[in-house]
Amino acid sequence: MSVTFAPPALATVIPPAVPGTAGDDLRVPLVTGGEIGYANLDHAASAPCLSAVRRAVDEFLPWYASVHRGAGFASQVSTKVYERARQAVGAFVGARSSDTVVLTRNTTDALNLLARAVPKGTAVVLFDTEHHAALLPWRGRHVYRVPAPRARHEAVRVLAETLGRCPEGPRLVVVAGASNVTGEVLPIAQLAQAAHAAGARIAVDAAQLAPHRAVSLRELDADYVVLSGHKLYAPFGAGALVGRADWLRAAEPYLAGGGASKLVTGHEDGLGVVWNTGPERHEAGSPNTVGAYALGVACTELASVRDRVEAHEADLLARLDRGLASVPGLRVLRLFDDDGDRVGTVSFAIDDLSPGLIAAVLSAEHGIGVRDGAFCAHIATRRLIATSGGDGQQAVRVSVGLGTTREHVDRLVTALREITERGPRWTYAETDGRWAPSPDPRPLPGFLG
């Protein structure tokens, strides 16, 4: 028996308004002619710029100058902007007074920095379903990659057992706050408790969690947290590593250069260097001041509307779940068998349809942006497709956020039903593993020439 999807009645309570983004009015061309408002359902990859961030950056740009070492007034202003951004990021993640905030390029950069900073011989434990940013920096005989269990409480037990098998010495657990494939939130506080009981530290990859839920180092009792500005509605190339200072203070600088060095002397045997001990130790070179400011503004803005953000996304996720359940042959991927908290990310596969073709049709014929592939989490995606009863290597991912509306969700569901029942309206070709309209008459925006 088929299930008919119908949008909820208009009497449904509408969640409070959320902050606007720079992409709210974007319109995109269709291969069938005309244009349509863009339905951005790819927030998990990169979120649009908050309108408040855009205004703040525009206001700051005339003052942009060198940071920390400039005597000019604009340099002094820029230095204050940069350091206040550092404070805003620390406040956003509930940093303790003893924690340090290192500003990086993104989550991947932050995790690689941490991997360089851990003491020699540190045993690292992580689930094998992590994003590649968390999975790949840790290699060697002291790394324990644990198959992710099918229940949240089992994750805590498995972690404790694995830590018990680690050799004596420093230990670190690395775990995602929320899966970038399924949106499922992990029990971070319980995992932190298990880690600390075994004398280990825990680093939380909050790239997918922080845009949707409050993240607090103090409340979670976590040791480190990493995040990316481009997922927090601040797409200006900044991220952060926040946490305990001792390992970072003792490690060799992540990059060698100006800013990281406090004193350099020359002598017959070469160079003598005294490195800084604060966050500057790992921030060599001229910093991304604009990106840091954008990240700080986004953190402050999101923290002030957290309840509204969560209500908005919960409404959209419930609508999305209901709609996807009505699409014939669609199988939603799940990391855990048990129910629990999820952020607004859902991945799925549809019987006998290429995920790449689905994504191309949604874009070209319906003005909908989604992600297809294995989402830089190849082990997780392949395993979850197999668990769901499929045999493919890739899936389609839908992720909602501040730029998403109910109409976007309804348009997606209607489009998926049309694709499964009648197929594409246009012709498509696969080239080098990517599907695209053939021919593609859509004009590029004017600024591309």
Side-chain angles (χ1 to χ4, degrees), residues 193-344:
Q193 186 176 20
H196 292 154
R201 296 187 181 188
I202 185 169
V204 180
D205 174 358
Q208 298 293 338
L209 184 62
H212 312 284
R213 299 285 186 276
V215 176
S216 172
L217 282 162
R218 285 190 302 268
E219 293 180 10
L220 294 172
D221 196 22
D223 300 281
Y224 302 96
V225 66
V226 295
L227 48 76
S228 287
H230 74 99
K231 298 184 190 297
L232 280 165
Y233 306 92
F236 291 86
L241 164 63
V242 187
R244 302 199 181 278
D246 53 347
W247 285 2
L248 297 169
R249 188 185 302 119
E252 285 292 307
Y254 184 46
L255 296 173
S261 55
K262 185 176 183 180
L263 176 66
V264 178
T265 59
H267 48 77
E268 293 180 356
D269 296 329
L271 293 176
V273 184
V274 178
W275 301 109
N276 277 316
T277 57
E280 298 88 353
R281 184 183 186 88
H282 300 289
E283 295 176 354
S286 295
N288 179 6
T289 307
V290 175
Y293 182 51
L295 175 58
V297 172
C299 286
T300 301
E301 178 76 5
L302 289 175
S304 70
V305 294
R306 180 63 72 188
D307 290 346
R308 279 188 275 162
V309 170
E310 292 189 13
H312 171 74
E313 293 180 352
D315 174 75
L316 293 173
L317 184 57
R319 195 179 191 93
L320 179 62
D321 285 344
R322 180 186 175 199
L324 293 180
S326 74
V327 179
L330 186 147
R331 291 171 284 105
V332 173
L333 308 186
R334 287 284 185 270
L335 187 61
F336 300 119
D337 293 328
D338 52 325
D339 292 330
D341 190 19
R342 293 160 52 214
V343 300

Side-chain angles (χ1 to χ4, degrees), residues 46-65:
S46 284
C49 182
L50 274 176
S51 297
V53 169
R54 183 181 187 178
R55 290 192 299 269
V57 168
D58 284 345
E59 184 178 13
F60 168 58
L61 281 176
W63 295 94
Y64 169 71

Side-chain angles (χ1 to χ4, degrees), residues 42-283:
D42 195 19
H43 284 70
S46 284
C49 182
L50 274 176
S51 297
V53 169
R54 183 181 187 178
R55 290 192 299 269
V57 168
D58 284 345
E59 184 178 13
F60 168 58
L61 281 176
W63 295 94
Y64 169 71
S66 64
V67 170
H68 290 149
R69 296 173 295 281
F73 190 74
S75 290
Q76 296 173 35
V77 171
S78 292
T79 297
K80 288 186 180 296
V81 162
Y82 187 73
E83 292 304 327
R84 287 182 181 177
R86 194 192 304 278
Q87 295 171 7
V89 172
F92 182 70
V93 297
R96 298 155 292 237
S97 60
S98 58
D99 286 332
T100 192
V101 178
V102 181
L103 295 171
T104 65
R105 292 183 299 163
N106 46 43
T107 301
T108 302
D109 194 35
L111 284 166
N112 275 271
L113 190 166
L114 182 60
R116 289 270 297 274
V118 298
K120 185 177 181 179
T122 296
V124 178
V125 179
L126 66 165
F127 294 114
D128 63 357
T129 48
E130 296 292 329
H131 186 281
H132 294 170
L135 194 67
L136 297 181
W138 317 96
R139 310 210 185 174
R141 62 188 180 88
H142 296 295
V143 178
Y144 297 78
R145 296 184 185 90
V146 184
R150 294 293 300 176
R152 287 175 172 84
H153 71 276
E154 283 295 300
V156 179
R157 180 187 63 78
V158 168
L159 175 64
E161 291 180 352
T162 304
L163 286 168
R165 298 196 300 270
C166 291
E168 291 296 323
R171 302 169 180 177
L172 177 68
V173 174
V174 182
V175 64
S179 168
N180 77 303
V181 180
T182 69
E184 290 163 293
V185 177
L186 279 80
I188 298 299
Q190 291 88 341
L191 291 170
Q193 186 176 20
H196 292 154
R201 296 187 181 188
I202 185 169
V204 180
D205 174 358
Q208 298 293 338
L209 184 62
H212 312 284
R213 299 285 186 276
V215 176
S216 172
L217 282 162
R218 285 190 302 268
E219 293 180 10
L220 294 172
D221 196 22
D223 300 281
Y224 302 96
V225 66
V226 295
L227 48 76
S228 287
H230 74 99
K231 298 184 190 297
L232 280 165
Y233 306 92
F236 291 86
L241 164 63
V242 187
R244 302 199 181 278
D246 53 347
W247 285 2
L248 297 169
R249 188 185 302 119
E252 285 292 307
Y254 184 46
L255 296 173
S261 55
K262 185 176 183 180
L263 176 66
V264 178
T265 59
H267 48 77
E268 293 180 356
D269 296 329
L271 293 176
V273 184
V274 178
W275 301 109
N276 277 316
T277 57
E280 298 88 353
R281 184 183 186 88
H282 300 289
E283 295 176 354

Side-chain angles (χ1 to χ4, degrees), residues 393-405:
Q393 303 290 311
Q394 300 182 338
V396 177
R397 185 180 70 186
V398 174
S399 48
V400 304
L402 298 183
T404 311
T405 69

